[in-house]
Amino acid sequence: MTDVKIGPNPLFLREEDLRQGMELLFYAYRDFTAEPDAMLAKIGLGRAHHRVVYFVGRYPEITVSDLLGILQITKQSLSRVLSELIGQDYVVQRTGTRDRRQRLLSLTDKGMDLERQLSDAQRARIARAYRAAGAQAVEGFRTVMLGIMDEAERGKFPGGAGKRG
Amino acid sequence: MTDVKIGPNPLFLREEDLRQGMELLFYAYRDFTAEPDAMLAKIGLGRAHHRVVYFVGRYPEITVSDLLGILQITKQSLSRVLSELIGQDYVVQRTGTRDRRQRLLSLTDKGMDLERQLSDAQRARIARAYRAAGAQAVEGFRTVMLGIMDEAERGKFPGGAGKRG
DNA sequence: GGATATAAGTCAATATGACTGACGTAAAGA
DNA sequence: TCTTTACGTCAGTCATATTGACTTATATCC
């Protein structure tokens, strides 16, 4: 952690600020995933199952290739996880009607239960953090997180500061 | 109630905000780790090596047990990674003077080089996001991230909203 | 001084999640 | 018809993590 000789810095971005940003991500993500990981371990599943269940719940009737695009893993990696989830009745496949090559994935009731259980701890964590931070801080959080991720992904997060509901 | 558009489940709006928060974390972390992972793969190392090199660089002369506390993995898991890093001359061990049971870990020059290379991509990513978002958004980001992580970790991030520079 | 606790290392077995490469099948589309 | 796409599968490998049992050296408590 060195090298701060990049000339005048308009935002006073120091090495220390950047390092802190990196660590915020590390610790927040580590603690964010710890609870569901522990729950999953009890039923013999792993984090990969959570991700699949989460995104299938989020986008019912998602195709396998769209899911691969989100997870950015290979189909062989997804295959084992997905077939376990289907075999244990958390996820169902349905042949697409418009395109019969597609396998549209959805959660069963059992899958929805699991998803809710797993995500509840995370939702509560986010809710607590949002509540404590306030609306303006949440908007800043959103802006920075969008800036951190690849530009290509930002379209997934429409809307802005708009107060709704 | 007919579906007007494709997309996520029509959920209660508060629920949607929380989901979005979860996904911001998922995508930002995924993209944040992708670049160093690719570099590491080229030299036969993995993300675990990066984490060790990062935190040893951050806290020179850190003890093994303190490092284990940060990474929250078992000593057996750390063992392989650490002995590879020591064997390849990225990290050195020194017996503690105050407590001779301890092995104090530090980076070699080669280790510092590696750490810098790996983290540069991440630093650039954070810097870009911070610069684009502005100081107020960064403060909000900080506040929310601290709220997401376990309370026990927050002491590692002193300073708060203090204006510097 | 002796008992106990702590810091670290090691051996063995195992699970999980990821990868590459090769190949197959069904269906869509040019 | 030919090619491409969507999906699946077999086989092998790697990286990261786990639990459990055990050892060595050193520190600390009584």
Side-chain angles (χ1 to χ4, degrees):
Chain A
M1 319 289 290
T2 45
D3 251 322
V4 199
K5 48 189 161 193
I6 327 166
N9 193 326
L11 208 81
F12 306 115
L13 278 185
R14 303 186 312 181
E15 182 67 20
E16 171 64 15
D17 295 322
L18 299 179
R19 182 199 57 71
Q20 192 176 81
M22 293 164 68
E23 290 179 20
L24 285 167
L25 267 172
F26 172 77
Y27 288 108
Y29 195 78
R30 187 196 63 178
D31 295 343
F32 181 70
T33 52
E35 283 164 298
D37 280 0
M39 291 183 220
L40 286 155
K42 287 181 191 160
I43 54 171
L45 301 177
R47 193 183 294 182
H49 300 87
H50 185 191
R51 290 198 287 248
V52 170
V53 163
Y54 178 84
F55 283 108
V56 171
R58 180 87 164 103
Y59 303 108
E61 307 241 302
I62 190 174
T63 65
V64 171
S65 62
D66 283 351
L67 186 53
L68 286 174
I70 288 174
L71 300 176
Q72 292 190 2
I73 57 175
T74 59
K75 63 180 171 178
Q76 295 92 329
S77 296
L78 178 58
S79 171
R80 184 180 51 84
V81 172
L82 193 52
S83 55
E84 280 167 4
L85 288 172
I86 291 167
Q88 290 173 46
D89 205 35
Y90 292 109
V91 171
V92 280
Q93 276 181 327
R94 181 174 80 70
T95 297
T97 43
R98 199 185 60 252
D99 185 335
R100 288 171 42 76
R101 290 171 306 179
Q102 295 179 332
R103 299 288 174 274
L104 309 182
L105 306 171
S106 302
L107 294 183
T108 61
D109 286 349
K110 186 182 172 190
M112 288 184 212
D113 271 1
L114 177 63
E115 196 284 319
R116 198 168 303 119
Q117 271 188 295
L118 291 173
S119 300
D120 266 355
Q122 297 190 318
R123 256 192 287 274
R125 197 176 270 271
I126 301 281
R128 186 193 53 169
Y130 276 13
R131 218 177 291 120
Q136 187 183 297
V138 170
E139 200 39 46
F141 165 75
R142 242 183 71 92
T143 305
V144 171
M145 290 299 264
L146 287 170
I148 290 171
M149 74 181 64
D150 287 350
E151 220 172 326
E153 307 300 339
R154 295 179 200 156
K156 292 192 173 104
F157 298 88
K163 249 292 179 257
R164 298 156 302 182
Chain B
M1 200 73 119
T2 37
D3 284 68
V4 184
K5 55 171 181 132
I6 340 163
N9 273 335
L11 294 168
F12 192 50
L13 286 173
R14 177 75 178 142
E15 173 85 7
E16 175 60 20
D17 291 337
L18 298 179
R19 269 189 179 273
Q20 191 175 82
M22 293 164 68
E23 290 178 22
L24 285 167
L25 266 172
F26 172 77
Y27 289 108
Y29 195 78
R30 187 196 62 179
D31 294 343
F32 181 70
T33 52
E35 283 163 298
D37 280 0
M39 292 183 221
L40 287 155
K42 287 180 190 160
I43 54 170
L45 301 177
R47 192 182 295 181
H49 300 87
H50 185 191
R51 290 197 288 246
V52 169
V53 162
Y54 178 84
F55 283 108
V56 172
R58 173 81 171 95
Y59 303 107
E61 307 240 302
I62 190 174
T63 65
V64 171
S65 62
D66 283 351
L67 186 53
L68 286 173
I70 289 173
L71 300 176
Q72 292 191 2
I73 57 175
T74 59
K75 64 179 171 178
Q76 295 92 328
S77 295
L78 178 58
S79 171
R80 183 183 50 86
V81 172
L82 194 52
S83 55
E84 280 167 5
L85 288 172
I86 291 167
Q88 290 172 47
D89 205 36
Y90 292 109
V91 171
V92 281
Q93 276 181 327
R94 181 175 80 70
T95 297
T97 44
R98 200 186 60 252
D99 185 336
R100 290 171 41 77
R101 291 171 305 179
Q102 295 179 333
R103 300 289 174 273
L104 308 182
L105 307 171
S106 302
L107 294 184
T108 61
D109 286 350
K110 186 182 171 189
M112 287 185 213
D113 272 0
L114 177 63
E115 196 284 319
R116 195 172 306 117
Q117 272 188 295
L118 291 173
S119 300
D120 265 355
Q122 297 190 320
R123 257 192 289 274
R125 196 175 270 272
I126 300 281
R128 185 193 54 167
Y130 276 14
R131 228 175 272 121
Q136 188 184 297
V138 170
E139 201 39 48
F141 165 75
R142 241 184 72 91
T143 306
V144 171
M145 291 298 264
L146 286 170
I148 290 172
M149 74 181 65
D150 287 351
E151 219 171 328
E153 309 299 340
R154 293 177 201 158
K156 292 190 173 106
F157 298 88
K163 254 294 177 256
R164 296 158 303 189

